Amino acid sequence: MRTPRISGSRCRVLLAAFALAAALDLASLAVGFHGGHVIAKPLLMPLLAAWAAARGAPRLLIAALLCGWGGDVLLLSDADPAFLAGMTCFAAGHVCYLALFKRDGTPRSRIALLAPGYLVALVTTVALLWPDLPAGLRVPVAGYSTLLVAMACAAAVRLGPVAGLGGALFLLSDTLIATGVADWPQPPRPDLWIMLTYLAAQFLLATGTLRALEARPGPMATYGEVRSTTP
């Protein structure tokens, strides 16, 4: 089921607000201003979800983005319980994405060839990280990684290249987090790269989903959508 679509001007305002919050967050991380990150990060996914809702997004997409918001807020803390709770929120978001892709996506036979590559990436990454992860995080990280890879693969196979790129960037972002937890060498300003790839991932997943649904024949009949003539 989709939310009613509202005016194009409000969509543009919400998208601009998301872009502004993203710029503030990334700039704060780039210069090491923690306060700016604490202020901007909790705004990001609610603004993106509001924009998607204004575009008539399915409720599963809104739920996935809001699960990301929960994870974002929890990961502002460095405590292990907060990390596990945040990972649980993101896992719930991946379940929402998977349900959405299964319900509304269309399998693409040629892109389905990506599935073995994603499987190899999953097994290789978990095997390499396993010895260096804290003992209490090994099984949760492996389980979460399985959901994440399934989501990334399904995004590409069922929705196409835009959502597929979003899924791949989500995988990259969370791999950077995992290597940090495993105490592997990190690039300068790792939090900046984590957030940059994460924000791009969520935006592309949302955009790819909306484009795929809008390209389907007869969307008004299918969803009872209230459409406008502006994006």
Side-chain angles (χ1 to χ4, degrees):
M1 184 174 182
R2 296 182 75 172
T3 54
R5 184 169 178 168
I6 62 175
S7 68
S9 60
R10 187 172 300 183
C11 290
R12 289 190 288 271
V13 168
L14 289 168
L15 184 58
F18 168 73
L20 181 61
L24 173 61
D25 188 54
L26 296 173
S28 298
L29 291 171
V31 301
F33 178 40
H34 183 66
H37 177 59
V38 171
I39 292 170
K41 189 179 183 183
L43 300 175
L44 294 165
M45 289 306 107
L47 287 170
L48 185 60
W51 170 76
R55 292 277 305 271
R59 291 179 180 175
L60 278 171
L61 175 57
I62 306 302
L65 294 172
L66 293 180
C67 285
W69 169 73
D72 289 345
V73 172
L74 286 163
L75 291 186
L76 286 171
S77 170
D78 293 329
D80 285 347
F83 180 81
L84 285 170
M87 186 163 58
T88 300
C89 284
F90 283 118
H94 296 325
V95 171
C96 291
Y97 275 130
L98 283 167
L100 174 63
F101 300 158
K102 180 179 180 180
R103 187 190 70 186
D104 295 332
T106 302
R108 292 160 168 79
S109 57
R110 287 180 292 179
I111 300 179
L113 297 174
L114 292 171
Y118 272 113
L119 179 60
V120 170
L122 170 65
V123 173
T124 302
T125 302
V126 171
L128 290 173
L129 287 171
W130 187 272
D132 297 322
L133 290 170
L137 291 179
R138 288 172 179 168
V139 172
V141 167
Y144 174 81
S145 298
T146 302
L147 268 179
L148 171 60
V149 170
M151 183 281 293
C153 184
V157 170
R158 300 191 68 86
L159 288 189
V162 175
L165 178 58
L169 288 173
F170 213 134
L171 180 58
L172 174 59
S173 179
D174 280 2
T175 300
L176 289 172
I177 294 176
T179 57
V181 172
D183 203 25
W184 285 15
Q186 297 292 295
R189 300 286 185 193
D191 288 347
L192 171 62
W193 299 111
I194 288 167
M195 283 304 298
L196 179 62
T197 51
Y198 167 70
L199 290 173
Q202 291 280 40
F203 178 73
L204 289 169
L205 284 167
T207 301
T209 299
L210 291 169
R211 286 183 180 179
L213 291 177
E214 289 168 356
R216 292 176 63 171
M220 291 180 67
T222 304
Y223 294 103
E225 178 187 4
V226 179
R227 300 181 67 90
S228 70
T229 58
T230 54

